[in-house]
Structure formats: C-alpha cells, structure tokens
C-alpha cells in the first residue's frame, strides 16, 4: 500500500462508498473470470473477525497508468499494478455452474481514498486487517516476457536449493569473490585464464546469483507498507506471473510463480549474517528484505526484540508516496502502543516534520531515555536547520528528531556495554510540537559531560572499500587502501610514540564492528560478532592481507597505481614488536570473520581522532570541533556541536545534535575520569 497524500485530481473514486462504523472494514468480492475479462465485483462491509478474506499486498505503481473496474455497478479507476493482481488472483470460471468469488481486502478498493478521516481511521486498523486475513497474497508484478519469467524461476529454484545446505551454497559462491576481476559479461580473456572446471563453476554461480540480484531489485521489496503486510500475515506467499496476451480467453495460460515469504526471510538473514562481503561485492539488495524481517523478530518468550523506534530506522530505506506513512505504515507493530494507546494517531493534515517530532517527543517522555535520539542520521549539516516552525516546510524539525524520510544506510550503534547509567537520567523537552507557524521548535534539555573534542575526520566509508582484492581492482576503488589512509589520519607518527601503536590499532579495530561478543553477552542486532580473541586474529589477517597487496605495487605497472597508493602500509608503519604480534595472531586465520562483522556497522560512517588521541567512529557529517559527550539516558556517546552565535547561561551549552558515536577507549569512563561537573546541554 502507498496512501496518496492528497485526493486525486480526477474522480477515480465513485460515490458508492457508504460510511463505515468503528472497527468495520470493506471486503471486495471479486467475480471469477478469464484473464482478458473485465474486473467486476462488490464491496461488503464487515468486522475484521467476520467472514474469511485474503489481503492483497502490492505496490501502487505509476498513478498515471490506470484501469477501470466495475464495483457495485459503478466504475472505479485503479493503478495498473492492482489491476494485474486482481487478474492474477481471481478464480477461473467454472463452466456450467456458479463460479466462486474471491474475497479480498485491497487498500485502493476497500478504503475511500478521497475521505481523509476514513483513510486515517482505516490506516490505524491496518495491522489488524493483515493479521486477521487467512493469508497475505503478495503481488510482485508481471514478469517481463519469457526472459523475465526465467529469471524469476531461476531465483526461486536457487533459493530453495541454497537453503537446503546454505554453508555449502556459500562455499560454492566464494568463487565469485576469489576471482574478483572476472565477469561473464566482460572480456573473454578473463574467463580463459580460469581452468575449465573453475570456468564452468564461475559461470554457473554468476548466472544463479544474477537471477537472485534481479529478484531482489523488484519494486515490491522496496516499499514501506509491505513491512507489516508480510510481517503480520498468518501466511504470506509471494507471487508473480508472465502477463497473458490481451486477447487470451484461456484461464490456463496464466501460471503463477510463487515462493513462501518465510523461506525468503531465512535466505536473506543468512546472507546478511554470514555473507555480507558477498552481498556487497555482487551489489545484492537482499539486505533490504532482511530489514523487513528484523522488524518482527521476537525473543524465545515471544516478546518483540525490535522496538518501534528501531523498526522505524530499519524501514527508512524503503519508499513511500507520503512521508508521514513511514510512521503510519508500522502502527501494527506490537511496540506501537503504550498502556494500550498508540504512540501517535494518523493525521494527514500536518507536516511530516510535526509528525516525526510528536512521535520522538512522545517516545522520549514515555521511556525517559534517549535511544530515539541515537537514531538520528543527518543528510545535511544540522547547523543549517531553521529553528522556528513553518507549516510550508515538510522537513522542518529539531536536530534531535530522526528524519525518517531522509536517505539512510547506517545501522543503529549497538555497543555491548552502556556508556552511561540510565538511573541518572535528567531529560526535559521544552516547547510545543504542534508546528504552529513562527513558534520555536522544542528544545531537548539534558545533563552530561564533555568527554573529548574531535580534531581530525576521515572520508566516509563505503562497503566497496572494505574487501581486500587485487591491485587492479583496489586502485579502481573510490578510496583505495582505505585502511592504510584511515590509520595515517588517526595515528600520525609525528604525534604519537610508536609504542602506543598496537593499543591504538586494537581500539580502531573494535570501533569498526562496534565491539566484540564474549560468552554470555547478548549478540549485536546489526550483524554477527566475534569473541575478542577471534576478532584479533581475523583483524590481524586483514592488516597483513592489505600489506601484501601494498607490497605488490613495486611489481605493478605505474599506470595501475597512478599515485593513489599510500607511501607505506599500515603494517609497515608499526614497530617490529607490533608486527611480530600481528603475524603471530594471523597465523592460520583469515580476514573473513572481521569483514562480516564490520561491513554493516561501518558503512557510511567516518573514523575520527580526538584531542586526547582517542579513536572513534561516527556520522558522515562529523567535523573537527564537534564534542564527544556522555549523557545519561543514552547507551552510547553523543556528538554535539556548539551553536557559535548562542548566548548561554552559566553551566549550559546550546548545541545541535550531530549523531551517536563510539569511542572504544572512553565508552565506560567513570565520573572520576571525566573530572568535571555535569553540564546542561540545550539541544535545539
């Protein structure tokens, strides 16, 4: 579903919608027909727990491409994608007898989209509608000809086959990582370089994973409304089909291809936790489907593992027509209520900035913690934000409110040990969140300590930077030898004694995957974690792999390196005793474990050095002069930025919120180590 923000300019909705009572919905009784027959049916009002129905999950698609249906003898215009779903799912006629209707709930049919109050009321029921359906029919859309159908079938077969023995499937796929510079569509000479067996294996794997890649690029997987639609369904099945000829009257010519959503979920979860480097290397969008899965994960006792705010964060990568639906499309989540009341009620008469601010303020007040603030990930410098409400500015909101409609690819920071005691929390929100024009947006008032100040910042890290490949491919990266360059920034030898090198390197390595997991500790929600010993061995292997790649420069053609390679590798810069220790740790180890653990946490973030020489990882907009602060109520450290033109009262600093951050060496600093009285931060 994707509820339009405003009523359509043309009368797509006839006057056949009668008012609905509280708790009532409409179900569309779809008449049987052949593929080329017109779509006809009627709307029936009922309670959710009334007669059985199935729920349609689909993408609205281009609003300009429409088809007419006959509903209760009136003409209703719907998008081509919904029309295709109805063609695919209606029962075929039974010659000589009464043909059965198919009872379906579909948003564009069953909600009067021109009635704003009805839309809001029905959106509030959406979770219950999909939970109450006997099954969810997820329509991926028509397949593009015979080639498109073959891709779909290949992907479905491969997922089934892969999940019978995923470890074997992953080992077979690693040939695509080993031969980085080979492509089935590239120069034939590259394939000739492989042995006959390896070439066949490479071509087979490349073709299968290409089908998987195309499958997860389907628009269906990239819409926010499907999250609760497949997540809440008792049974959810994904369908597609090759579009029948327009003049076809043979019902058997329409064959549906299908795969169960739970199997797809197991597949994408395995890839994210065990094959992140493969996912990023092949450019797979399977991780988007995994985000949907994470929203609904539960503990062994059945309680949700993903709270409402984290659910919002995982879903923000998905598309919506109306930015307010980023909140409303998840109101079926079990954590969307406090004491039986929804965290926010749908309203299509206020801006997204007001909706998001109301939600954030409500959650902070009810939980008395700052986890919501830790989900902020600014696209632009927050110092440029205006500080008064403007109802004509959809995106205007305080710096401490997550803009769930902004582009975001970061994972929530999930450090294994909290940076502050929640019992010391002192949080206040000053001002209103009603969005009244000209009034000041609300301030977040908290108390805490300045831990350090940032003095140097790296480039933004991308997942394509991380794998150690061959020299030609390395030099083609946007940031070749990224680890060596990050190290030169965070540990300049002219500022640090070499004896501290190994300690600094270990701190840096812990920042990338947000720490390690020891026996008995809870696992990270953003990917796998190694024990400290495993982590040290795998990271040492990673450093040595990059060193060996750097050593290849002397044997390479000068045109390959073109001056972008560092003067020395990270390993080369270390004192002999540190080099010997890394060699000892790396013996018999590979870098794969470290790569799988650090890929998702580190992407789209930067590494920085503080005034005291500590190393941290934080937001892409971090800059020198930003303050690293510890604030009770926040499990991780905060990056705050002073407002230069502010006039502060004694003991108070006016600032904007930049981002959550990790500084491994300072995550558990005691009050005595901080050595100062608490400061009041006024976050605008």
């Amino acid at each position: 579903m994707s509820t339009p923000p405003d009523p359509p300019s043309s009368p797509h909705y006839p006057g056949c919608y009668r008012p609905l009572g509280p708790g009532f919905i409409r179900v569309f009784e779809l008449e049987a027909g052949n593929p080329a027959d017109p779509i006809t049916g009627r709307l029936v009002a009922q309670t959710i727990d009334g007669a059985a129905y199935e729920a349609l999950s689909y993408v609205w698609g281009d609003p300009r491409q429409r088809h007419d249906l006959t509903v209760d003898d009136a003409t209703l215009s719907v998008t081509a994608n919904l029309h295709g779903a109805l063609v695919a799912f209606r029962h075929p006629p039974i010659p000589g007898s009464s043909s059965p209707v198919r009872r379906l709930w579909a948003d564009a049919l069953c909600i009067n989209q021109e009635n704003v109050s009805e839309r809001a009321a029905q959106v509030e029921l959406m979770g219950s509608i999909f939970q109450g359906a006997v099954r969810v029919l997820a329509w991926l859309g028509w397949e593009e000809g015979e080639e498109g159908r073959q891709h779909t079938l290949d992907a479905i077969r491969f997922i089934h086959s892969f999940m019978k023995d995923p470890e074997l499937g992953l080992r077979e796929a690693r040939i695509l990582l080993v031969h980085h510079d080979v492509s089935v569509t590239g120069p034939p000479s590259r394939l000739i370089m492989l042995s006959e067996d390896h070439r066949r294996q490479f071509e087979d794997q490349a073709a299968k994973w290409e089908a998987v890649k195309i499958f997860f690029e389907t628009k269906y997987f990239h819409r926010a409304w499907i999250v609760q639609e497949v997540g809440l369904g008792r049974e959810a099945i994904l369908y597609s089909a090759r579009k029948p000829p327009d003049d076809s009257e043979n019902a058997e010519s329409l064959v549906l291809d299908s795969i169960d959503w739970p199997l797809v979920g197991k597949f994408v979860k395995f890839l994210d936790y065990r094959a992140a480097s493969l996912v990023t290397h092949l450019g797979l969008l399977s991780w988007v489907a995994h985000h949907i899965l994470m929203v609904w994960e539960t503990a062994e006792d059945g309680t949700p593992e993903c709270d409402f705010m984290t659910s919002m964060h995982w879903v923000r990568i998905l598309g919506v027509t109306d930015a307010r639906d980023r909140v409303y499309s998840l109101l079926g989540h079990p954590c969307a209520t406090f004491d039986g009341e929804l965290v926010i009620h749908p309203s299509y008469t206020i801006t997204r900035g007001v909706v998001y601010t109301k939600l954030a303020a409500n959650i902070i007040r009810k939980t008395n913690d700052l986890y919501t603030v830790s989900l902020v990930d600014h696209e632009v410098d927050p110092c440029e934000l205006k500080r008064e409400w403007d109802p004509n500015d959809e995106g205007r909101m305080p710096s401490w409110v997550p803009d769930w409609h902004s582009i975001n690819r970061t994972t929530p920071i999930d450090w294994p040990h909290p940076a502050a005691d929640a019992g010391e929390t002192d949080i206040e929100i000053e001002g209103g969140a009603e969005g009244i024009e000209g009034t000041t947006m609300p301030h977040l008032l908290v108390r805490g300590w300045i831990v350090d100040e940032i003095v140097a910042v790296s480039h933004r890290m991308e997942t394509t930077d991380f794998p150690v490949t061959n020299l030609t491919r390395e030099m083609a990266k946007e940031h070749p030898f990224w680890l060596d360059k990050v190290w030169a920034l965070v540990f300049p030898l002219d500022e640090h004694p070499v004896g501290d090198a190994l300690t600094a390197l270990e701190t840096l390595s812990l920042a990338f995957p947000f720490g390690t997991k020891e026996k008995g500790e809870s696992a990270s929600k953003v990917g796998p974690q190694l024990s400290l010993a495993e982590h040290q061995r795998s990271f040492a292997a990673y450093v040595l792999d990059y060193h060996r790649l750097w050593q290849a420069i002397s044997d390479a053609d000068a045109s390959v390196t073109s001056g972008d390679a560092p003067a020395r590798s990270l390993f080369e810069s270390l004192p002999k005793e540190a080099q010997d220790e890394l060699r000892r740790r790396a013996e018999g180890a590979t870098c794969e474990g470290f790569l799988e653990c650090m890929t998702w946490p580190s992407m789209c973030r930067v590494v920085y050095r503080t005034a005291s020489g500590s190393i941290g990882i934080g937001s892409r907009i971090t800059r020198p002069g930003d303050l690293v602060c510890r604030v009770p109520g926040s499990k991780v450290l905060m990056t705050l930025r002073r407002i230069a033109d502010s006039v502060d009262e004694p003991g108070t600093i006016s600032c904007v919120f930049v981002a959550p951050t990790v500084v491994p060496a300072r995550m558990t600093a005691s009050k005595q180590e901080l050595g100062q009285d608490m400061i009041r931060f006024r976050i605008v």
Side-chain angles (χ1 to χ4, degrees):
M1 174 179 175
S2 178
T3 304
D6 298 299
S9 56
S10 58
H12 298 310
Y13 293 88
C16 63
Y17 289 94
R18 298 179 180 85
L20 287 171
F24 273 72
I25 63 171
R26 299 184 187 93
V27 172
F28 182 57
E29 294 189 341
L30 173 62
E31 298 286 354
N34 290 313
D37 292 340
I39 297 289
T40 61
R42 55 194 168 274
L43 291 170
V44 178
Q46 67 171 66
T47 58
I48 294 172
D49 59 357
Y53 63 93
E54 298 168 295
L56 277 186
S57 176
Y58 67 102
V59 175
W60 277 48
D62 189 340
R64 296 167 299 182
Q65 297 180 12
R66 310 190 73 86
H67 291 268
D68 288 343
L69 320 177
T70 301
V71 181
D72 292 324
D73 298 323
T75 300
L76 176 67
S77 174
V78 299
T79 61
N81 209 33
L82 174 55
H83 182 269
L86 297 174
V87 169
F89 291 132
R90 67 178 164 183
H91 294 306
I94 301 175
S97 64
S98 176
S99 299
V101 299
R102 193 157 195 178
R103 306 189 78 249
L104 300 172
W105 186 91
D107 54 355
L109 280 171
C110 300
I111 300 174
N112 183 354
Q113 300 290 336
E114 291 184 329
N115 185 321
V116 176
S117 61
E118 179 180 306
R119 280 169 55 202
Q122 290 288 292
V123 163
E124 204 165 298
L125 295 174
M126 204 72 71
S128 299
I129 291 171
F130 279 88
Q131 280 182 310
V134 293
R135 73 181 53 83
V136 173
L137 308 174
W139 176 242
L140 305 184
W142 295 120
E143 297 156 350
E144 297 295 328
E146 190 56 42
E147 183 180 10
R149 179 150 197 256
Q150 193 59 53
H151 280 308
T152 300
L153 290 174
D154 288 346
I156 290 173
R157 288 175 186 143
F158 178 68
I159 292 172
H160 275 280
S161 173
F162 185 94
M163 291 311 297
K164 290 177 181 177
D165 190 346
E167 293 293 346
L168 173 62
L170 183 55
R171 287 196 299 273
E172 292 177 342
R174 290 204 181 280
I175 192 171
L176 302 176
L177 289 171
V178 173
H179 300 289
H180 299 282
D181 55 349
V182 176
S183 169
V184 291
T185 59
S189 58
R190 293 292 188 187
L191 281 175
I192 293 172
M193 293 169 60
L194 304 180
S195 69
E196 185 176 345
D197 286 345
H198 278 178
R199 183 168 66 251
R200 281 199 299 266
Q201 184 185 354
F202 181 90
E203 291 174 333
D204 176 63
Q205 287 293 310
K208 289 174 177 176
W209 285 99
E210 178 64 17
V212 170
K213 185 175 188 294
I214 293 170
F215 181 75
F216 285 108
E217 289 171 352
T218 303
K219 290 181 181 179
Y220 177 82
F221 293 111
H222 302 269
R223 301 297 292 173
W225 277 103
I226 74 164
V227 174
Q228 70 175 7
E229 294 172 0
V230 296
L232 290 173
R234 304 178 198 176
E235 178 185 18
I237 306 173
L238 312 180
Y239 291 93
S240 65
R242 183 179 178 184
K243 188 175 182 180
D246 291 338
D247 59 353
S248 172
E249 295 183 1
N250 183 2
E252 294 181 354
S253 66
L254 182 60
V255 179
L256 295 178
D257 302 314
S258 66
I259 185 170
D260 291 346
W261 167 248
L263 180 65
V264 174
K266 291 176 183 177
F267 178 71
V268 298
K269 183 176 182 178
F270 178 85
L271 292 185
D272 261 15
Y273 286 148
R274 300 298 305 279
S277 55
L278 181 70
V279 170
T280 58
H281 176 70
L282 298 179
L284 301 181
L285 296 180
S286 55
W287 56 271
V288 177
H290 186 209
H291 281 204
I292 299 170
L293 202 69
M294 288 189 288
V295 169
W296 306 106
E297 287 188 337
T298 58
E300 290 184 3
D301 62 0
T303 58
E305 285 199 337
C306 191
D307 62 273
F308 189 70
M309 292 292 97
T310 308
S311 300
M312 290 281 297
H313 186 85
W314 289 131
V315 172
R316 65 193 286 178
I317 194 66
L318 304 179
V320 291
T321 302
D322 188 319
R324 294 165 290 197
D325 285 337
R326 294 202 178 278
V327 180
Y328 305 154
S329 66
L330 283 177
L331 290 180
H333 193 278
C335 294
T337 60
F338 280 90
D339 299 325
E341 273 293 313
L342 281 175
V343 291
I344 192 168
H345 291 279
S347 172
Y348 290 97
T349 61
I350 54 179
T351 66
R352 86 165 192 263
V354 175
V355 172
Y356 296 175
T357 303
K358 281 176 171 286
L359 175 63
N362 194 17
I363 293 289
I364 290 171
R365 288 187 176 116
K366 288 182 178 296
T367 60
N368 197 36
D369 70 37
L370 297 169
Y371 176 67
T372 297
V373 179
S374 72
L375 298 175
V376 170
D377 180 44
H378 292 292
E379 277 189 80
V380 297
D381 193 323
C383 287
E384 299 174 4
L385 299 177
K386 305 296 183 182
R387 292 165 198 158
E388 292 185 344
W389 284 117
D390 179 358
N392 297 312
D393 185 347
E394 275 290 324
R396 187 165 297 191
M397 64 195 78
S399 69
W400 51 270
V401 174
D403 183 358
W404 287 287
H405 197 55
S406 69
I407 296 173
N408 169 72
R409 290 189 293 145
T410 60
T411 59
I413 290 181
D414 189 16
W415 191 257
H417 305 288
D421 183 358
E424 303 170 339
T425 305
D426 182 9
I427 303 170
E428 181 183 351
I429 297 175
E430 185 181 89
E434 300 305 316
I436 299 173
E437 185 172 10
T439 62
T440 303
M441 290 186 289
H443 297 169
L444 179 65
L445 304 176
V446 296
R447 291 184 180 275
W449 299 268
I450 297 175
V451 173
D452 219 328
E453 182 176 337
I454 294 169
V455 296
V457 180
S458 77
H459 64 269
R460 189 179 81 171
M461 297 179 289
E462 300 289 349
T463 55
T464 51
D465 295 338
F466 304 148
V468 186
T469 60
N470 55 56
L471 188 57
T472 301
R473 191 174 182 93
E474 187 69 30
M475 300 313 300
K477 293 178 180 178
E478 184 176 355
H479 302 294
F481 292 94
W482 75 279
L483 183 64
D484 301 311
K485 294 179 179 179
V486 165
W487 177 247
L489 178 135
V490 300
F491 197 81
L493 290 181
D494 57 345
E495 296 183 26
H496 292 274
V498 293
D500 294 339
L502 188 57
T503 300
L505 188 61
E506 289 181 333
T507 302
L508 175 65
S509 76
L510 289 172
F512 290 132
F514 299 163
T516 60
K517 175 186 179 296
E518 298 304 315
K519 186 176 181 180
E521 293 180 347
S522 60
S524 169
K525 303 291 193 306
V526 299
Q529 281 184 307
L530 302 173
S531 68
L532 180 59
E534 292 170 328
H535 166 82
Q536 288 177 336
R537 294 180 68 239
S538 189
F539 179 67
Y542 188 66
V543 172
L544 286 169
D545 281 352
Y546 253 122
H547 176 61
R548 284 188 283 269
L549 190 60
W550 176 82
Q551 287 179 313
I553 292 174
S554 60
D555 301 326
D557 189 301
S559 63
V560 173
T561 58
S562 66
D564 288 331
R568 61 185 174 188
S569 70
L570 185 163
F571 183 81
E572 187 80 6
S573 72
L574 299 175
K576 184 178 183 305
E577 57 270 24
Q579 292 180 354
D580 291 343
E581 176 61 17
L582 286 181
R583 284 196 182 97
R584 185 191 68 77
R585 292 179 182 180
E587 189 173 348
T590 71
C591 68
E592 290 173 2
F594 171 74
L595 267 176
E596 299 305 327
C597 291
M598 63 82 66
T599 294
W600 301 132
S602 296
M603 72 173 181
C604 295
R605 288 193 159 100
V606 300
V607 175
Y608 60 77
R609 172 167 50 93
T610 70
S612 70
S614 295
I615 298 168
I617 188 170
S619 165
R620 54 187 159 169
I621 64 164
T622 303
R623 70 187 191 195
D626 287 349
L627 305 175
V628 178
C629 303
R630 171 182 164 183
V631 177
S634 174
K635 291 184 178 180
V636 295
L637 301 175
M638 291 182 172
T639 310
L640 301 176
R641 186 175 299 160
R642 293 177 186 266
I643 298 175
D645 59 355
S646 63
V647 179
D648 297 325
E649 55 191 275
T652 299
I653 296 177
S654 292
C655 53
V656 294
F657 184 80
V658 175
T661 189
V662 160
V663 185
R666 306 301 301 275
M667 290 301 292
T668 56
S670 66
K671 295 180 185 178
Q672 290 72 26
E673 289 177 280
L674 295 171
Q676 56 181 306
D677 293 332
M678 294 184 78
I679 298 169
R680 193 185 201 206
F681 298 106
R682 178 181 293 275
I683 307 176
V684 303

